[in-house]
Amino acid sequence: MKKVLKRICFVIAFVLLLNVIFAEGKAASKRQEYGVFIGADKLNYRKLGKYDTVVIDADYFSANQIKKLKKAGCKRVYTYLNIGSIEKFRSFYDDYKYIALDTYNNWPGEYWMDISNKKWQKFCIKRADKLKAKGVDGFFIDNCDVYYQYPSDDIYKGLCKTLSGIRKTGGMIIINGGDSFVTRCVQKKKSNLFDGVNQETVYTSIDFEHHKFGKARAENRKYFTDYLKKVKKVKKQVYVLEYATKKGVISKAKKYAKKNGWRIYVSSNLELK
């Protein structure tokens, strides 16, 4: 009888152990590597806590909120920081709009900035200092594409100087887009200015005119895939941000990213909420 009871206890314990392992594996599988929530006007800690790395706009959140976000499960919190253009809704727009170069196509109320301007450089670095003080781990730097729009040495040097200043805050740097600038940095052996890149619409595409998402053209996908391979060769992390609502496209985009060793986030909206 004792042997039977022992066997029963052993079986029960074994089943319980399997349940624990299964539950832990299931919980782990729900975790996501990367999420971009720049347009979020409030932090959904339960939702964002499932991501190892998240990008938010820390301009609109306190140090305490960012601390709570990390307690919820986020290992790294990056803040959006736009150095190549200026948005009209920003509180500092009126103070720096005179530095603007031209309107930003497809984005009403946004303007390309002259990053070679020292006042703008200093302001961007000062903003980075304030944001870092809130407890973020790094910066999601946007619109280095200003170099593609205005491919001069002054613009290139202005971006390098600004990134160098932001580097001094101690935060990590992910450059969003900016393939022309990043390519020149790699060629000039200045890739120490950043830790990784995020590229939008590698597998997917955006039809701004009809407000629709689709698949990227083969030549565009090849171009960005080749570009991102070069970035990986200099040992930088690669992230991709895709836009899609169709399950089939989302699945294929994720498989394509996994195949290439990229971290991916797929958004169903341009606002990134």
Side-chain angles (χ1 to χ4, degrees):
M1 185 67 178
K2 287 182 180 180
K3 288 183 178 180
V4 173
L5 287 173
K6 283 182 179 180
R7 286 178 183 177
I8 291 172
C9 290
F10 175 78
V11 170
I12 291 171
F14 183 70
V15 170
L16 288 173
L17 179 61
L18 285 177
N19 285 335
V20 170
I21 293 170
F22 176 75
E24 287 179 350
K26 193 174 180 182
S29 68
K30 286 184 177 180
R31 288 203 63 78
Q32 303 292 321
E33 284 187 316
Y34 181 53
V36 184
F37 305 96
I38 295 167
D41 54 3
K42 60 180 180 179
L43 297 181
N44 184 332
Y45 299 107
R46 188 174 181 181
K47 177 183 176 182
L48 272 63
K50 295 176 182 178
Y51 292 83
D52 290 334
T53 298
V54 296
V55 182
I56 61 171
D57 191 337
D59 246 358
Y60 301 102
F61 301 106
S62 67
N64 189 48
Q65 287 174 307
I66 292 168
K67 189 176 181 180
K68 285 183 179 178
L69 187 56
K70 289 187 175 183
K71 282 186 177 180
C74 292
K75 296 177 182 177
R76 289 169 296 278
V77 178
Y78 285 81
T79 180
Y80 178 81
L81 181 58
N82 189 352
I83 68 173
S85 70
I86 191 170
E87 302 111 330
K88 204 169 184 177
F89 63 81
R90 297 288 178 180
S91 60
F92 49 82
Y93 171 77
D94 287 334
D95 295 328
Y96 293 94
K97 62 182 179 181
Y98 72 95
I99 300 172
L101 294 167
D102 200 358
T103 55
Y104 197 131
N105 192 33
N106 292 319
W107 295 96
E110 190 164 354
Y111 306 87
W112 292 109
M113 293 294 281
D114 182 2
I115 191 67
S116 69
N117 184 288
K118 290 183 179 180
K119 287 185 178 179
W120 179 245
Q121 292 171 12
K122 288 179 181 178
F123 176 70
C124 289
I125 295 167
K126 188 177 179 181
R127 279 192 72 208
D129 272 323
K130 288 183 177 179
L131 292 169
K132 186 67 173 65
K134 289 187 176 185
V136 298
D137 299 290
F139 307 93
F140 185 86
I141 303 294
D142 203 15
N143 288 314
C144 287
D145 295 291
V146 68
Y147 176 66
Y148 174 79
Q149 296 292 327
Y150 305 90
S152 69
D153 285 343
D154 286 343
I155 294 295
Y156 172 75
K157 289 176 182 177
L159 284 169
C160 289
K161 189 171 182 180
T162 305
L163 289 173
S164 180
I166 294 171
R167 260 284 193 226
K168 292 177 182 177
T169 66
M172 305 284 280
I173 291 177
I174 296 173
I175 294 179
N176 181 44
D179 52 289
S180 295
F181 170 69
V182 171
T183 298
R184 184 170 176 181
C185 283
V186 171
Q187 291 171 345
K188 297 289 184 180
K189 301 189 184 303
K190 283 186 172 289
S191 57
N192 62 312
L193 289 173
F194 55 92
D195 302 285
V197 301
N198 179 82
Q199 184 58 53
E200 297 181 74
T201 59
V202 177
Y203 191 88
T204 61
S205 65
I206 303 169
D207 183 343
F208 285 96
E209 185 179 352
H210 300 98
H211 306 284
K212 294 192 302 183
F213 301 141
K215 289 184 180 179
R217 291 181 179 179
E219 58 268 30
N220 289 348
R221 189 177 304 161
K222 184 181 185 307
Y223 168 78
F224 283 120
T225 300
D226 290 344
Y227 157 67
L228 294 175
K229 284 180 179 178
K230 291 176 183 176
V231 173
K232 287 204 77 174
K233 279 186 179 180
V234 291
K235 298 181 180 179
K236 301 299 175 181
Q237 183 64 56
V238 172
Y239 302 83
V240 290
L241 174 55
E242 304 286 4
Y243 298 88
T245 53
K246 295 180 179 179
K247 288 183 179 179
V249 176
I250 294 171
S251 178
K252 288 178 180 178
K254 287 183 176 180
K255 285 179 181 178
Y256 192 73
K258 185 177 181 180
K259 175 185 173 183
N260 286 285
W262 308 331
R263 296 180 183 180
I264 182 174
Y265 177 66
V266 183
S267 177
S268 62
N269 61 85
L270 282 175
E271 292 77 22
L272 296 169
K273 291 183 177 180

